[in-house]
Amino acid sequence: METMHAAGRRTLPPVPRPGRRGRYGCADTPTERLSSEPITPRVAPPEAPGASAPDPSGPESDAAQRFVARLRAAAADFAAAAGAGSAVVREAVPPARHRRSRCRVVLRYADGTETDVTFLGPAGEPGSPSRHGFDRQIRRWLGDGQQRADAWLAADPDAPGGIAVDITAWVATS
């Protein structure tokens, strides 16, 4: 389709392809200069020497990020509760209205063995008071001997071995 101009037919410049980088590394570099001034790349002003990154626990950080950060920070507590040498939180998924929270923990013991456990928590908003206890409930389950009963094990195709520990069911039965 051609664009009609009031003075007649006008040829437009080609549209840049997505993903191609322009002369200064940004995709929105114009293909046709409209002014005679040289184009200068946009550079962020240098940070002051004493400036630091914003605090992730500040009010601008949302509840889901705080939920994930809290689970990741609890890895050492998970290791201590399980009697392991170390622990790594490989996956932390905050809850949503349509999705349950998830936490996948790999425990490394002094003898070199590893245990990979996935935990399922409640669904809902990540900032609600009951969600703050997910890490404490995991620590409690790990400290109680990591018992696996059918009452609180759930089939989960994404979990190692296809089974996850349903923390909400475990809390309800214990």
Side-chain angles (χ1 to χ4, degrees), residues 49-127:
S52 63
D55 183 20
S57 62
E60 67 278 349
S61 177
D62 69 343
Q65 290 174 334
R66 288 191 303 269
F67 179 88
V68 170
R70 189 172 46 252
L71 283 176
R72 293 201 185 279
D77 296 334
F78 295 158
S86 65
V88 175
V89 176
R90 283 208 178 144
E91 178 184 15
V93 179
R97 182 175 42 85
H98 62 283
R99 177 188 66 223
R100 297 178 72 180
S101 55
R102 294 173 55 86
C103 181
R104 182 175 171 196
V105 179
V106 177
L107 302 164
R108 292 187 182 103
Y109 293 94
D111 62 358
T113 60
E114 288 187 356
T115 303
D116 196 341
V117 185
T118 300
F119 299 96
L120 297 175
E125 293 297 320

Coordinates of all heavy atoms in Angstrom, one line a residue, residues 49-127:
P49 N 30.0 8.6 43.2 CA 30.8 7.6 43.8 C 30.2 6.9 45.0 O 30.3 5.7 45.3 CB 32.1 8.3 44.3 CG 32.1 9.6 43.6 CD 30.7 9.9 43.1
G50 N 29.3 7.6 45.8 CA 28.7 7.1 47.0 C 27.4 6.5 46.7 O 26.7 5.9 47.6
A51 N 26.9 6.5 45.5 CA 25.5 6.0 45.1 C 25.5 4.5 45.1 O 26.5 3.9 44.7 CB 25.1 6.6 43.8
S52 N 24.5 3.9 45.5 CA 24.3 2.5 45.5 C 23.0 2.1 44.8 O 22.2 2.9 44.6 CB 24.4 1.9 46.9 OG 23.3 2.4 47.7
A53 N 22.9 0.8 44.6 CA 21.7 0.3 43.9 C 20.5 0.4 44.9 O 20.7 0.4 46.1 CB 21.9 -1.2 43.5
P54 N 19.3 0.6 44.4 CA 18.2 0.7 45.3 C 18.0 -0.6 46.2 O 18.3 -1.7 45.7 CB 17.0 0.9 44.4 CG 17.4 0.5 43.0 CD 18.9 0.6 43.0
D55 N 17.6 -0.4 47.4 CA 17.4 -1.5 48.3 C 16.2 -2.4 47.8 O 15.1 -2.0 47.6 CB 17.0 -1.0 49.7 CG 16.9 -2.1 50.7 OD1 17.4 -3.2 50.5 OD2 16.3 -1.8 51.8
P56 N 16.5 -3.8 47.5 CA 15.4 -4.6 47.0 C 14.3 -4.8 48.0 O 13.2 -5.2 47.6 CB 16.1 -5.9 46.7 CG 17.4 -5.9 47.5 CD 17.7 -4.5 47.7
S57 N 14.5 -4.5 49.3 CA 13.4 -4.7 50.2 C 12.6 -3.4 50.4 O 11.7 -3.3 51.3 CB 14.0 -5.1 51.6 OG 14.8 -4.1 52.1
G58 N 12.9 -2.4 49.6 CA 12.2 -1.1 49.7 C 10.8 -1.2 49.2 O 10.3 -2.2 48.7
P59 N 10.1 -0.1 49.3 CA 8.7 -0.1 48.9 C 8.4 -0.3 47.4 O 7.4 -0.8 47.0 CB 8.1 1.2 49.4 CG 9.3 2.1 49.5 CD 10.5 1.2 49.8
E60 N 9.4 0.0 46.6 CA 9.2 -0.1 45.1 C 9.4 -1.6 44.7 O 9.0 -1.9 43.6 CB 10.2 0.8 44.4 CG 11.7 0.4 44.5 CD 12.4 0.9 45.7 OE1 11.8 1.7 46.5 OE2 13.5 0.4 46.0
S61 N 9.9 -2.4 45.6 CA 10.0 -3.8 45.2 C 8.7 -4.5 45.5 O 8.0 -4.3 46.5 CB 11.1 -4.4 46.1 OG 11.2 -5.8 45.9
D62 N 8.2 -5.3 44.6 CA 6.9 -5.9 44.8 C 7.0 -7.2 45.6 O 8.1 -7.7 45.9 CB 6.2 -6.2 43.5 CG 6.9 -7.3 42.6 OD1 8.0 -7.6 42.9 OD2 6.2 -7.7 41.7
A63 N 5.9 -7.7 46.0 CA 5.7 -8.8 47.0 C 6.3 -10.1 46.4 O 6.9 -10.9 47.1 CB 4.3 -9.0 47.4
A64 N 6.2 -10.3 45.1 CA 6.7 -11.5 44.5 C 8.2 -11.6 44.5 O 8.8 -12.6 44.8 CB 6.2 -11.6 43.0
Q65 N 8.8 -10.4 44.3 CA 10.3 -10.4 44.4 C 10.8 -10.6 45.8 O 11.8 -11.3 46.0 CB 10.8 -9.1 43.8 CG 10.7 -8.9 42.4 CD 11.1 -7.6 41.9 OE1 11.0 -6.6 42.6 NE2 11.5 -7.5 40.6
R66 N 10.1 -10.1 46.8 CA 10.4 -10.3 48.2 C 10.2 -11.7 48.6 O 11.0 -12.3 49.3 CB 9.6 -9.3 49.1 CG 10.0 -7.9 49.0 CD 9.4 -7.0 50.1 NE 8.0 -7.1 50.1 CZ 7.2 -6.3 49.4 NH1 7.7 -5.3 48.7 NH2 5.9 -6.4 49.5
F67 N 9.2 -12.4 48.1 CA 8.9 -13.8 48.3 C 10.1 -14.6 47.8 O 10.6 -15.5 48.6 CB 7.6 -14.2 47.7 CG 7.2 -15.6 47.9 CD1 6.5 -16.0 49.0 CD2 7.6 -16.6 46.9 CE1 6.1 -17.3 49.1 CE2 7.2 -17.9 47.1 CZ 6.5 -18.3 48.2
V68 N 10.5 -14.4 46.6 CA 11.6 -15.2 46.0 C 12.9 -14.9 46.8 O 13.7 -15.9 47.1 CB 11.7 -14.9 44.5 CG1 13.0 -15.5 43.9 CG2 10.5 -15.4 43.8
A69 N 13.2 -13.7 47.1 CA 14.4 -13.3 47.8 C 14.4 -14.0 49.2 O 15.5 -14.5 49.6 CB 14.5 -11.8 47.9
R70 N 13.3 -14.0 49.8 CA 13.2 -14.6 51.2 C 13.5 -16.1 51.1 O 14.3 -16.7 51.9 CB 11.8 -14.4 51.8 CG 11.7 -14.8 53.2 CD 10.4 -14.4 53.9 NE 9.2 -14.7 53.1 CZ 8.5 -13.8 52.4 NH1 8.8 -12.5 52.5 NH2 7.4 -14.1 51.7
L71 N 13.0 -16.8 50.1 CA 13.3 -18.2 49.9 C 14.7 -18.5 49.6 O 15.4 -19.4 50.1 CB 12.4 -18.9 48.8 CG 10.9 -19.1 49.2 CD1 10.2 -19.6 48.1 CD2 10.9 -20.1 50.4
R72 N 15.3 -17.7 48.7 CA 16.7 -17.9 48.3 C 17.6 -17.6 49.5 O 18.6 -18.3 49.7 CB 17.1 -17.0 47.1 CG 16.3 -17.5 45.9 CD 17.0 -17.0 44.6 NE 16.3 -17.3 43.4 CZ 16.3 -18.5 42.8 NH1 17.0 -19.5 43.3 NH2 15.6 -18.7 41.7
A73 N 17.3 -16.6 50.3 CA 18.1 -16.3 51.5 C 18.0 -17.3 52.6 O 18.9 -17.4 53.4 CB 17.7 -14.9 52.0
A74 N 17.0 -18.1 52.5 CA 16.8 -19.2 53.6 C 17.5 -20.5 53.3 O 17.4 -21.4 54.0 CB 15.3 -19.5 53.7
A75 N 18.3 -20.5 52.2 CA 19.0 -21.7 51.8 C 19.9 -22.3 53.0 O 19.9 -23.5 53.3 CB 19.9 -21.5 50.6
A76 N 20.6 -21.4 53.7 CA 21.5 -21.9 54.8 C 20.7 -22.4 55.9 O 21.0 -23.4 56.6 CB 22.4 -20.7 55.2
D77 N 19.5 -21.8 56.2 CA 18.6 -22.3 57.2 C 18.0 -23.7 56.8 O 17.9 -24.5 57.7 CB 17.5 -21.3 57.4 CG 17.9 -20.0 58.0 OD1 19.0 -20.0 58.6 OD2 17.2 -19.0 57.7
F78 N 17.7 -23.9 55.5 CA 17.3 -25.2 55.1 C 18.3 -26.2 55.3 O 18.0 -27.3 55.8 CB 16.9 -25.1 53.6 CG 15.7 -24.2 53.2 CD1 15.6 -23.8 52.0 CD2 14.8 -23.9 54.2 CE1 14.5 -23.0 51.6 CE2 13.7 -23.1 53.9 CZ 13.6 -22.6 52.6
A79 N 19.6 -25.9 55.0 CA 20.7 -26.9 55.2 C 20.8 -27.2 56.7 O 21.0 -28.4 57.0 CB 22.0 -26.3 54.7
A80 N 20.8 -26.2 57.5 CA 20.9 -26.5 59.0 C 19.7 -27.3 59.5 O 19.9 -28.2 60.3 CB 20.9 -25.1 59.7
A81 N 18.5 -27.1 59.0 CA 17.4 -27.8 59.5 C 17.4 -29.3 59.0 O 17.0 -30.2 59.8 CB 16.1 -27.2 59.0
A82 N 18.0 -29.5 57.9 CA 18.1 -30.9 57.3 C 19.3 -31.6 57.8 O 19.5 -32.8 57.5 CB 18.1 -30.8 55.8
G83 N 20.3 -30.9 58.5 CA 21.5 -31.5 58.9 C 22.5 -31.7 57.7 O 23.4 -32.5 57.7
A84 N 22.3 -30.9 56.7 CA 23.2 -30.9 55.5 C 24.3 -29.9 55.6 O 24.2 -29.0 56.4 CB 22.3 -30.7 54.2
G85 N 25.3 -30.1 54.8 CA 26.4 -29.2 54.7 C 26.1 -27.9 54.1 O 26.5 -26.8 54.5
S86 N 25.3 -28.0 53.0 CA 24.9 -26.8 52.3 C 23.6 -27.1 51.5 O 23.2 -28.2 51.4 CB 25.9 -26.3 51.3 OG 26.1 -27.3 50.3
A87 N 22.9 -26.0 51.1 CA 21.7 -26.1 50.3 C 21.7 -25.0 49.3 O 22.2 -23.9 49.5 CB 20.5 -26.0 51.3
V88 N 21.0 -25.3 48.2 CA 20.8 -24.3 47.1 C 19.4 -24.3 46.7 O 18.8 -25.4 46.5 CB 21.7 -24.7 45.9 CG1 21.4 -23.7 44.7 CG2 23.2 -24.7 46.2
V89 N 18.8 -23.1 46.7 CA 17.4 -23.0 46.2 C 17.5 -22.9 44.7 O 17.9 -21.8 44.2 CB 16.7 -21.8 46.8 CG1 15.3 -21.6 46.2 CG2 16.6 -22.0 48.3
R90 N 17.2 -23.9 44.0 CA 17.3 -23.9 42.5 C 16.1 -23.2 41.8 O 16.2 -22.7 40.7 CB 17.4 -25.3 42.0 CG 18.8 -25.9 42.1 CD 19.1 -26.9 41.0 NE 20.4 -27.4 41.2 CZ 20.8 -28.7 41.0 NH1 19.9 -29.5 40.6 NH2 22.0 -29.0 41.1
E91 N 15.0 -23.3 42.5 CA 13.8 -22.7 41.9 C 12.9 -22.1 43.0 O 12.7 -22.7 44.0 CB 13.0 -23.8 41.1 CG 11.7 -23.3 40.5 CD 10.9 -24.5 39.9 OE1 11.2 -25.7 40.1 OE2 10.0 -24.2 39.1
A92 N 12.4 -20.9 42.7 CA 11.5 -20.3 43.7 C 10.5 -19.6 42.9 O 10.8 -18.6 42.1 CB 12.3 -19.3 44.6
V93 N 9.2 -20.0 43.0 CA 8.1 -19.5 42.2 C 7.1 -18.9 43.2 O 6.6 -19.6 44.0 CB 7.5 -20.5 41.3 CG1 6.3 -19.9 40.5 CG2 8.5 -21.1 40.3
P94 N 6.8 -17.6 43.1 CA 5.9 -17.0 44.0 C 4.4 -17.5 43.6 O 4.2 -17.8 42.5 CB 6.0 -15.5 43.7 CG 6.6 -15.4 42.4 CD 7.4 -16.6 42.1
P95 N 3.6 -17.5 44.6 CA 2.2 -17.9 44.3 C 1.5 -16.8 43.5 O 1.9 -15.6 43.5 CB 1.6 -18.0 45.7 CG 2.3 -17.0 46.5 CD 3.7 -17.1 46.0
A96 N 0.4 -17.2 42.9 CA -0.4 -16.3 42.1 C -1.9 -16.8 42.3 O -2.1 -17.9 42.9 CB -0.1 -16.3 40.6
R97 N -2.8 -16.0 41.8 CA -4.2 -16.4 42.0 C -4.5 -17.8 41.4 O -5.2 -18.6 41.9 CB -5.1 -15.4 41.3 CG -6.5 -15.6 41.4 CD -7.3 -14.4 40.9 NE -6.8 -13.9 39.6 CZ -7.1 -14.4 38.4 NH1 -7.9 -15.4 38.3 NH2 -6.6 -13.8 37.3
H98 N -3.8 -18.1 40.3 CA -4.0 -19.4 39.6 C -2.9 -20.4 39.7 O -2.9 -21.4 39.1 CB -4.2 -19.0 38.1 CG -3.0 -18.4 37.5 ND1 -2.6 -17.1 37.7 CD2 -2.0 -18.9 36.8 CE1 -1.5 -16.8 37.1 NE2 -1.0 -17.9 36.6
R99 N -1.9 -20.1 40.6 CA -0.7 -20.9 40.6 C -0.2 -21.0 42.1 O -0.2 -20.1 42.8 CB 0.4 -20.3 39.8 CG 1.7 -21.0 39.8 CD 2.8 -20.3 39.1 NE 3.1 -19.0 39.8 CZ 3.3 -17.9 39.2 NH1 3.2 -17.7 37.9 NH2 3.6 -16.8 39.9
R100 N 0.2 -22.3 42.4 CA 0.7 -22.5 43.8 C 2.2 -22.1 43.8 O 2.9 -22.1 42.8 CB 0.6 -24.0 44.1 CG -0.8 -24.4 44.2 CD -0.9 -25.9 44.5 NE -0.6 -26.1 45.9 CZ -0.5 -27.3 46.5 NH1 -0.8 -28.4 45.8 NH2 -0.2 -27.4 47.7
S101 N 2.6 -21.7 45.0 CA 4.1 -21.4 45.1 C 4.9 -22.7 45.1 O 4.4 -23.8 45.4 CB 4.3 -20.7 46.5 OG 3.8 -21.4 47.5
R102 N 6.1 -22.5 44.6 CA 7.0 -23.7 44.5 C 8.4 -23.3 45.0 O 8.8 -22.2 44.8 CB 7.2 -24.1 43.0 CG 6.0 -24.6 42.3 CD 6.3 -24.8 40.8 NE 7.4 -25.7 40.6 CZ 7.3 -27.0 40.5 NH1 6.2 -27.6 40.7 NH2 8.4 -27.7 40.3
C103 N 9.1 -24.3 45.5 CA 10.4 -24.1 46.0 C 11.2 -25.4 45.8 O 10.8 -26.4 46.3 CB 10.5 -23.6 47.4 SG 12.2 -23.3 48.0
R104 N 12.2 -25.4 45.0 CA 13.0 -26.6 44.7 C 14.4 -26.4 45.4 O 15.1 -25.4 45.2 CB 13.2 -26.8 43.2 CG 14.0 -28.0 42.9 CD 14.1 -28.2 41.4 NE 15.0 -29.3 41.1 CZ 15.5 -29.5 40.0 NH1 15.2 -28.8 38.9 NH2 16.3 -30.5 39.8
V105 N 14.7 -27.3 46.3 CA 15.9 -27.2 47.2 C 16.8 -28.4 46.9 O 16.3 -29.5 46.9 CB 15.5 -27.1 48.7 CG1 16.8 -27.0 49.5 CG2 14.6 -25.9 48.9
V106 N 18.1 -28.2 46.7 CA 19.1 -29.2 46.6 C 19.9 -29.2 47.9 O 20.6 -28.2 48.2 CB 19.9 -29.1 45.4 CG1 21.0 -30.2 45.3 CG2 19.1 -29.2 44.1
L107 N 19.9 -30.3 48.6 CA 20.7 -30.4 49.9 C 21.9 -31.2 49.6 O 21.8 -32.3 49.0 CB 19.8 -31.0 51.0 CG 18.5 -30.4 51.3 CD1 17.6 -31.3 52.1 CD2 18.8 -29.1 52.1
R108 N 23.0 -30.7 50.0 CA 24.3 -31.4 49.9 C 24.8 -31.8 51.3 O 25.1 -30.9 52.1 CB 25.3 -30.6 49.2 CG 25.0 -30.3 47.7 CD 26.1 -29.6 47.0 NE 25.6 -29.4 45.6 CZ 25.2 -28.2 45.2 NH1 25.2 -27.1 45.9 NH2 24.8 -28.0 43.9
Y109 N 25.0 -33.1 51.5 CA 25.4 -33.6 52.8 C 26.9 -33.8 52.8 O 27.6 -33.8 51.8 CB 24.7 -34.9 53.1 CG 23.2 -34.7 53.3 CD1 22.3 -34.9 52.2 CD2 22.7 -34.3 54.5 CE1 21.0 -34.7 52.4 CE2 21.3 -34.1 54.7 CZ 20.5 -34.3 53.6 OH 19.1 -34.1 53.8
A110 N 27.5 -33.9 54.0 CA 28.9 -34.1 54.2 C 29.5 -35.3 53.5 O 30.7 -35.2 53.1 CB 29.2 -34.1 55.7
D111 N 28.7 -36.4 53.4 CA 29.2 -37.6 52.7 C 29.2 -37.5 51.2 O 29.5 -38.4 50.5 CB 28.5 -38.8 53.2 CG 27.0 -38.8 52.8 OD1 26.5 -37.8 52.3 OD2 26.3 -39.8 53.2
G112 N 28.8 -36.3 50.6 CA 28.8 -36.1 49.2 C 27.4 -36.4 48.5 O 27.3 -36.2 47.3
T113 N 26.5 -36.9 49.2 CA 25.2 -37.2 48.6 C 24.3 -35.9 48.5 O 24.5 -35.0 49.3 CB 24.4 -38.2 49.5 OG1 24.2 -37.7 50.8 CG2 25.1 -39.5 49.5
E114 N 23.5 -35.9 47.5 CA 22.6 -34.8 47.3 C 21.1 -35.2 47.3 O 20.8 -36.3 46.9 CB 22.8 -34.1 45.9 CG 24.1 -33.3 45.9 CD 24.3 -32.6 44.6 OE1 23.4 -32.7 43.7 OE2 25.2 -31.9 44.4
T115 N 20.3 -34.4 47.9 CA 18.8 -34.7 47.8 C 18.2 -33.5 47.2 O 18.4 -32.3 47.6 CB 18.3 -34.8 49.3 OG1 19.0 -35.9 49.9 CG2 16.8 -35.2 49.3
D116 N 17.3 -33.7 46.2 CA 16.6 -32.7 45.4 C 15.2 -32.8 45.8 O 14.5 -33.8 45.5 CB 16.9 -32.9 43.9 CG 16.5 -31.7 43.1 OD1 15.8 -30.8 43.6 OD2 17.0 -31.6 42.0
V117 N 14.6 -31.8 46.4 CA 13.2 -31.8 46.9 C 12.5 -30.6 46.4 O 13.0 -29.5 46.4 CB 13.2 -31.8 48.5 CG1 11.7 -32.0 48.9 CG2 14.1 -32.9 49.0
T118 N 11.3 -30.8 45.9 CA 10.4 -29.7 45.5 C 9.3 -29.6 46.4 O 8.6 -30.6 46.8 CB 9.9 -30.0 44.0 OG1 11.0 -30.1 43.1 CG2 9.0 -28.9 43.6
F119 N 9.0 -28.4 46.8 CA 7.9 -28.1 47.8 C 6.8 -27.3 47.1 O 7.1 -26.4 46.3 CB 8.4 -27.3 49.0 CG 9.5 -28.0 49.8 CD1 10.8 -27.8 49.5 CD2 9.1 -28.9 50.7 CE1 11.8 -28.4 50.3 CE2 10.1 -29.6 51.5 CZ 11.4 -29.4 51.2
L120 N 5.6 -27.6 47.4 CA 4.4 -26.9 46.9 C 3.8 -26.2 48.0 O 3.5 -26.8 49.1 CB 3.4 -27.8 46.2 CG 3.9 -28.6 45.0 CD1 2.8 -29.5 44.5 CD2 4.3 -27.6 43.9
G121 N 3.5 -24.9 47.8 CA 2.8 -24.1 48.8 C 1.4 -23.7 48.4 O 0.9 -24.2 47.4
P122 N 0.8 -22.8 49.1 CA -0.5 -22.4 48.7 C -0.5 -21.4 47.5 O 0.5 -20.8 47.2 CB -1.0 -21.6 50.0 CG 0.3 -21.1 50.6 CD 1.3 -22.2 50.3
A123 N -1.7 -21.3 46.9 CA -1.9 -20.3 45.9 C -2.4 -19.0 46.5 O -2.8 -19.0 47.7 CB -2.9 -20.8 44.9
G124 N -2.4 -18.0 45.8 CA -2.9 -16.7 46.3 C -1.9 -15.6 46.0 O -1.0 -15.7 45.2
E125 N -2.0 -14.5 46.8 CA -1.1 -13.3 46.6 C 0.1 -13.6 47.4 O 0.1 -14.0 48.6 CB -1.9 -12.1 47.1 CG -3.0 -11.7 46.3 CD -2.7 -11.3 44.9 OE1 -1.6 -10.7 44.7 OE2 -3.4 -11.7 43.9
P126 N 1.3 -13.2 46.8 CA 2.6 -13.5 47.5 C 2.8 -12.6 48.8 O 3.5 -13.0 49.6 CB 3.6 -13.2 46.5 CG 3.0 -12.4 45.4 CD 1.5 -12.7 45.5
G127 N 2.1 -11.5 48.9 CA 2.3 -10.6 50.0 C 1.4 -10.9 51.2 O 1.5 -10.3 52.3

